[in-house]
């Protein structure tokens, strides 16, 4: 009978330690954030401002950089099943979103061929660049093939696969 009590005691200690481990981390994280807010409030200090991305060296000679980052902060998103979000329509000087898709600048002289679809996350969508310099736009301009940018900021492969499936469903002539 003694070994049953010892086993139950060990099990209780194990459950307690696991529970403590699982609860302690978020409590400490939340407490640290609350303490930081209280210190800022007491001292009147302001939280650190985000850096001015347009002033980074890689944007030094690009006149559209400041406008780009101002416009990038504006677009809103709408929830969709499976893909989770798409950007709402937006018409800016450097960023244009139509029907949830980033505008792709096509070549003046188009080549006869299939429409090329681009999927992916922030890099494919073109975070940090204007419509003319996204990967789909550069591809379309250099090859002359019609291209569509189906990427979206922070997408993972599962969302891109859902976008591909939706595109096939909405455009049955492809295939």
């Amino acid at each position: 009978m003694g070994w049953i009590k010892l086993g139950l005691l060990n099990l209780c200690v194990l459950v307690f330690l696991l529970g403590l481990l699982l609860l302690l981390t978020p409590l400490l994280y939340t407490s640290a954030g609350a303490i930081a807010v209280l210190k800022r409030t007491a001292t009147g200090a302001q939280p650190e401002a985000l850096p001015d991305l347009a002033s980074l060296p890689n944007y030094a000679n690009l006149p559209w950089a400041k406008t780009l980052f101002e416009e990038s902060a504006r677009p809103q998103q709408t929830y969709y099943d499976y893909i989770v979000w798409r950007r709402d329509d937006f018409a800016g000087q450097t960023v244009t979103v139509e029907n949830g898709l980033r505008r792709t600048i096509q070549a003046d002289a188009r080549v006869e061929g299939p429409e090329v679809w681009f999927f992916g996350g922030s890099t494919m969508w073109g975070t940090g660049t204007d419509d003319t310099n996204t990967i789909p736009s550069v591809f379309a301009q250099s090859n002359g093939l019609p291209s569509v940018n189906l990427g979206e900021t922070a997408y993972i492969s599962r969302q891109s696969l859902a976008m591909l499936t939706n595109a096939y469903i909405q455009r049955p002539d492809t295939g």
Side-chain angles (χ1 to χ4, degrees):
M1 187 74 164
W3 60 273
I4 294 175
K5 286 183 180 179
L6 183 62
L8 287 174
L9 180 63
N10 284 333
L11 183 63
C12 289
V13 169
L14 177 67
V15 168
F16 173 76
L17 290 175
L18 286 175
L20 186 64
L21 180 67
L22 292 173
L23 293 175
L24 193 60
T25 304
L27 286 173
L28 288 174
Y29 181 77
T30 305
S31 300
I35 290 169
V37 168
L38 290 173
K39 283 183 181 178
R40 276 198 313 265
T41 305
T43 61
Q46 297 296 319
E48 284 187 34
L50 293 174
D52 178 19
L53 297 175
S55 67
L56 293 172
N58 50 321
Y59 294 106
N61 298 322
L62 301 174
W64 47 260
K66 186 168 178 58
T67 306
L68 170 77
F69 289 109
E70 289 171 357
E71 290 178 354
S72 294
R74 292 185 205 153
Q76 298 296 312
Q77 296 151 348
T78 300
Y79 172 84
Y80 295 94
D81 291 337
Y82 304 107
I83 59 171
V84 186
W85 69 85
R86 285 305 286 184
R87 292 182 193 244
D88 295 335
D89 289 355
F90 177 79
Q93 295 175 10
T94 60
V95 177
T96 303
V97 179
E98 297 169 353
N99 299 321
L101 304 176
R102 177 102 185 240
R103 181 175 62 177
T104 301
I105 308 300
Q106 306 295 330
D108 293 333
R110 293 196 184 175
V111 174
E112 195 64 34
E115 183 176 73
V116 181
W117 293 353
F118 289 84
F119 296 90
S122 303
T123 302
M124 192 58 64
W125 190 84
T127 299
T129 190
D130 63 349
D131 289 338
T132 307
N133 293 300
T134 63
I135 293 171
S137 291
V138 170
F139 177 86
Q141 292 169 11
S142 64
N143 293 305
L145 292 171
S147 302
V148 178
N149 188 346
L150 293 159
E152 180 60 75
T153 303
Y155 263 24
I156 59 172
S157 59
R158 171 86 53 184
Q159 290 165 298
S160 293
L161 178 61
M163 279 297 298
L164 174 64
T165 305
N166 290 351
Y168 270 117
I169 290 169
Q170 293 168 357
R171 298 171 78 174
D173 59 324
T174 57

